[in-house]
Amino acid sequence: MFAAEARPAEGRRARILVAPVTVTPTKPLTPSHLKGLLWTDVLVRATAALADVTHLGSHTAFHSCEQTVGFWEFLDRTFGDLDYSACSDEDIGELYVRYRRSGQTPTAAACRPYLEALDEHSWVHPASARVLDIWQDQYAQLGMADPGLTRHQPPGLALEETIARLDAEGLCVDLRRLGGPVYLDPTRWGMPLRRIVAADGRPNYLACALRQLLPLVPDYDETVLLCDRELQPDYVLLQRVLTKAGATVHRVTLGRVAIDGQIDSARHGGWHRHTAAALLRAAGAGYDEAALRFGLRLYFIAVLGPGTSVPFSFDLLHRSLRRARLLLTDDGGATGTDLADLVGRHRGRHRYVDPYRLTSGLLARRQRRPGRELIRTVFA
Amino acid sequence: MMLGQRGLHRHAAGRLAACAPELAARHDLDTMAGLLAARHEIGADPALAATAVAVVLRRFALADLVRECCAFALGLDEAAMTAWRRSFTRAVFLVGNPANLRDRFAFAHVAPDSSAAWTRPATDDATAALRRLLKALDAPAALRAAPRSPVPVGGPLPAAGAARPGARLDLHVATAGVTVVTALVEVHHLLAEAVADGLVEAGDSIVPHTVPRLVGLDEPPAALRVGIDPLAPDRWYAAAALTVRRGS
């Protein structure tokens, strides 16, 4: 259940689990989302040169959160049976903004049919199914592997089993028999109680992540969690609990991307010129597929960096695309160096490859031009 | 015996006047509104109830509460109990696991199974760090019937020469329309004051009786808690009572 830390046997490649925060399939991908996705993509592809990497990308595990299932219920109650098949991700995103602005939180009873359909029949609301289809196309254009966006990937533990495991380790307080919620209890580490299941039985994002990750992490030598800064408190908790379960866990926290001086959650809208579709249209003209994919990674990783201090800029994006095109046409790139050695230099005290160190190193002045193999395998 | 509205009101007013005569003098304790206003002032004025205990609960069972609350109260020294009594035995109920907190916080009493813990009576500053880590107990479920098994009262035995044979008491707790948290508050006050008044001592045993309403008691209550009736806010009700069995 909560086991001792695993180490790879002699001669075996390390097994690494990469578990980024998922984007709720209710809105278009924004620059903040793209930063996280491209950061994850380079981390996965670079680390795969050295280790066996599993990229966890299940949305199924998180459909039961209020942000998603509550939106589904709101759509059907407010608009009836709409045809979403011709909607864009922005159309659906506008409906999501209306949902958040309404301030309505559907009852557990109202959400139950949706949760039962999800659990029993792998059902996904057509609005989110449409968003996931659109994202699949965008992932392909961006050269990102599809981690199973539309595949039913339920978490390995039922909610009750998750709570039982946590309770056995003294890591939760369950007040449901008294009409109260379930709290994750990290007070032994000086951290406050955190509610993970409401009194009406509905789990939040953290509970869903625990259901998904607790049964998986013992099979890996290292787990890498990626999240944005706003979720950092919950991900610190997640890291602690998984570490207590015997896993080696690292956390990569990324700042969101400011647009026009503002860092806003996507639930407020305001993304129109900056959605993934808009960026692909704006950036796609004049650059071939390889330059586009490489340039976007140079921009979102090396130029924007891990923090929030660099705001979004179309000028800098295009500069990165031009730089990518230049690097791709240069025949004098580094050769004769094993890819694993190349990327392996960009690990800290962990087994995964740091995407920022790797990518920003490509732009360093005295750095030899990157070889085609590196670009092709990791960036394009 | 019947506890009518007049009797309940007289009891509540009398207890308040005995504990806080200056406060009582400022209100018309002959009316329900006046008595409620006096009670409200106790809750609203930090100076009137400056000393409190924090009770950390991982789970709730009535028998466990009876046993551990009495053990805690019996373990307090006279100065601590006097200060706490003067503050109407105020308590803050928090959700948490005492086993996770013992390294960081000093508790006056911890249940052997770590299901509950009590801090020593003190001002709120002393428990600020603890209250930042934990949450107020949220237990709106209805209080369910509890087993009628005797609960032995542990704790330090009375001084030699003052010992009396162990008494057998009955704890009556109303359940109709009552939530767990309401019952918890009332029973906690009742037992703490009973220990302070010498009604309950180590070596006694208490049998919990959860009944819809406290009517038809065989004995007059030796201790009584009166509250606003959850079924009708313009009425009093007997929330909890202790009776002593004949021959004890």
Side-chain angles (χ1 to χ4, degrees):
Chain A
M1 202 186 306
F2 275 65
E5 182 178 336
R7 298 197 181 279
E10 196 69 36
R12 172 173 73 70
R13 272 162 61 100
R15 289 193 288 253
I16 298 179
L17 178 66
V18 179
V21 64
T22 57
V23 184
T24 317
T26 57
K27 52 193 179 286
L29 295 173
T30 64
S32 294
H33 298 139
L34 287 175
K35 180 175 172 180
L37 291 171
L38 291 169
W39 208 281
T40 300
D41 183 72
V42 168
L43 188 156
V44 168
R45 290 163 70 176
T47 307
L50 302 161
D52 293 338
V53 180
T54 301
H55 175 190
L56 199 59
S58 165
H59 282 82
T60 315
F62 300 95
H63 285 328
S64 54
C65 295
E66 180 269 328
Q67 297 98 302
T68 309
V69 74
F71 176 51
W72 296 350
E73 191 276 340
F74 167 82
L75 285 175
D76 294 344
R77 173 168 40 86
T78 311
F79 303 109
D81 301 325
L82 293 182
D83 178 9
Y84 298 94
S85 61
C87 290
S88 68
D89 47 0
E90 289 196 43
D91 295 333
I92 295 170
E94 291 298 332
L95 296 175
Y96 185 70
V97 172
R98 285 181 64 172
Y99 166 55
R100 301 311 295 197
R101 279 201 191 130
S102 73
Q104 298 172 28
T105 307
T107 63
C111 292
R112 193 170 301 120
Y114 298 89
L115 295 171
E116 287 176 355
L118 173 64
D119 283 342
E120 300 292 327
H121 308 297
S122 316
W123 184 85
V124 176
H125 193 282
S128 285
R130 175 64 179 149
V131 169
L132 289 168
D133 280 342
I134 292 170
W135 287 358
Q136 247 182 347
D137 287 340
Q138 291 170 352
Y139 271 50
Q141 289 181 68
L142 290 163
M144 297 194 301
D146 178 357
L149 289 171
T150 57
R151 195 167 72 237
H152 185 64
Q153 302 179 76
L157 278 183
L159 182 62
E160 287 308 317
E161 208 177 337
T162 304
I163 293 170
R165 285 199 184 190
L166 293 170
D167 190 50
E169 294 295 320
L171 285 171
C172 79
V173 183
D174 184 356
L175 297 180
R176 288 176 297 171
R177 284 184 60 235
L178 305 182
V182 180
Y183 293 102
L184 190 63
D185 183 356
T187 53
R188 68 182 69 184
W189 299 307
M191 301 161 78
L193 293 181
R194 174 71 167 103
R195 194 179 73 185
I196 57 172
V197 179
D200 61 14
R202 285 184 287 177
N204 66 5
Y205 188 92
L206 189 51
C208 294
L210 286 165
R211 283 184 66 185
Q212 184 190 52
L213 291 169
L214 270 176
L216 285 178
V217 295
D219 295 337
Y220 294 89
D221 303 303
E222 188 170 279
T223 296
V224 188
L225 305 175
L226 293 102
C227 69
D228 63 62
R229 202 152 284 179
E230 278 66 26
L231 291 176
Q232 183 165 258
D234 274 353
Y235 269 71
V236 168
L237 269 180
L238 188 57
Q239 182 181 19
R240 288 271 193 167
V241 173
L242 296 176
T243 302
K244 179 76 170 63
T248 298
V249 185
H250 299 284
R251 186 170 36 86
V252 176
T253 306
L254 301 178
R256 290 185 178 177
V257 182
I259 297 172
D260 299 331
Q262 298 277 346
I263 295 179
D264 276 331
S265 167
R267 73 171 73 98
H268 302 302
W271 48 61
H272 300 289
R273 285 194 313 133
H274 300 90
T275 64
L279 292 183
L280 284 166
R281 279 194 300 272
Y287 301 96
D288 64 21
E289 186 179 84
L292 175 67
R293 292 172 178 182
F294 187 17
L296 285 170
R297 283 159 177 76
L298 286 177
Y299 177 69
F300 276 97
I301 300 173
V303 175
L304 289 181
T308 57
S309 59
V310 181
F312 184 83
S313 159
F314 278 106
D315 285 344
L316 288 179
L317 172 59
H318 279 281
R319 198 183 296 182
S320 298
L321 292 168
R322 288 194 293 273
R323 184 71 181 271
R325 186 167 55 193
L326 192 65
L327 290 170
L328 281 164
T329 55
D330 181 5
D331 286 332
T335 58
T337 306
D338 179 65
L339 180 63
D341 283 342
L342 259 176
V343 299
R345 294 170 201 166
H346 301 286
R347 296 182 294 173
R349 291 160 61 183
H350 42 73
R351 297 190 178 97
Y352 71 89
V353 175
D354 183 328
Y356 178 68
R357 282 176 57 172
L358 175 65
T359 313
S360 59
L362 301 179
L363 301 179
R365 281 205 185 151
R366 293 174 198 262
Q367 182 68 29
R368 267 186 84 182
R369 300 285 179 94
R372 285 180 183 277
E373 189 192 8
L374 175 64
I375 296 174
R376 181 178 48 79
T377 306
V378 177
F379 292 100
Chain B
M1 60 167 295
M2 287 290 296
L3 300 165
Q5 283 296 299
R6 248 189 256 171
L8 290 172
H9 184 105
R10 254 200 315 271
H11 177 88
R15 292 290 288 184
L16 194 144
C19 292
E22 290 178 11
L23 169 68
R26 293 199 289 275
H27 297 274
D28 178 8
L29 298 192
D30 287 338
T31 65
M32 187 174 189
L35 185 47
L36 288 175
R39 285 185 165 194
H40 178 75
E41 192 175 328
I42 294 169
D45 185 351
L48 287 172
T51 301
V53 301
V55 184
V56 180
L57 290 166
R58 185 177 182 186
R59 52 181 171 267
F60 171 81
L62 186 58
D64 293 343
L65 176 72
V66 171
R67 185 179 55 249
E68 302 307 327
C69 177
C70 290
F72 160 70
L74 286 165
L76 290 177
D77 55 72
E78 193 177 333
M81 177 57 92
T82 303
W84 191 33
R85 193 77 165 85
R86 228 182 281 125
S87 288
F88 307 95
T89 62
R90 186 164 71 92
V92 174
F93 296 95
L94 304 169
V95 179
N97 183 349
N100 289 338
L101 302 164
R102 293 181 85 156
D103 288 346
R104 293 176 186 272
F105 300 96
F107 291 103
H109 176 73
V110 181
D113 63 357
S114 289
S115 61
W118 280 254
T119 63
R120 185 177 164 76
T123 59
D124 286 345
D125 289 348
T127 57
L130 180 66
R131 286 182 287 111
R132 273 197 296 273
L133 278 187
L134 305 181
K135 303 280 188 191
L137 179 64
D138 180 8
L143 180 66
R144 308 296 295 273
R148 289 188 179 185
S149 305
V151 178
V153 177
L157 289 173
R164 60 167 172 73
R168 289 178 296 166
L169 301 102
D170 293 288
L171 167 67
H172 309 270
V173 184
T175 59
V178 175
T179 64
V180 167
V181 71
T182 299
L184 168 64
V185 169
E186 300 290 2
V187 169
H188 195 267
H189 278 300
L190 184 79
L191 292 173
E193 291 167 8
V195 168
D197 293 342
L199 178 63
V200 170
E201 291 180 356
D204 293 345
S205 72
I206 300 176
V207 178
H209 299 261
T210 42
V211 289
R213 306 282 289 188
L214 268 58
V215 293
L217 298 182
D218 291 337
E219 304 289 339
L224 178 65
R225 286 287 300 183
V226 176
I228 300 172
D229 192 337
L231 303 177
D234 59 344
R235 280 199 315 239
W236 299 112
Y237 86 124
L242 273 172
T243 56
V244 182
R245 289 195 186 183
R246 284 186 201 154
S248 286

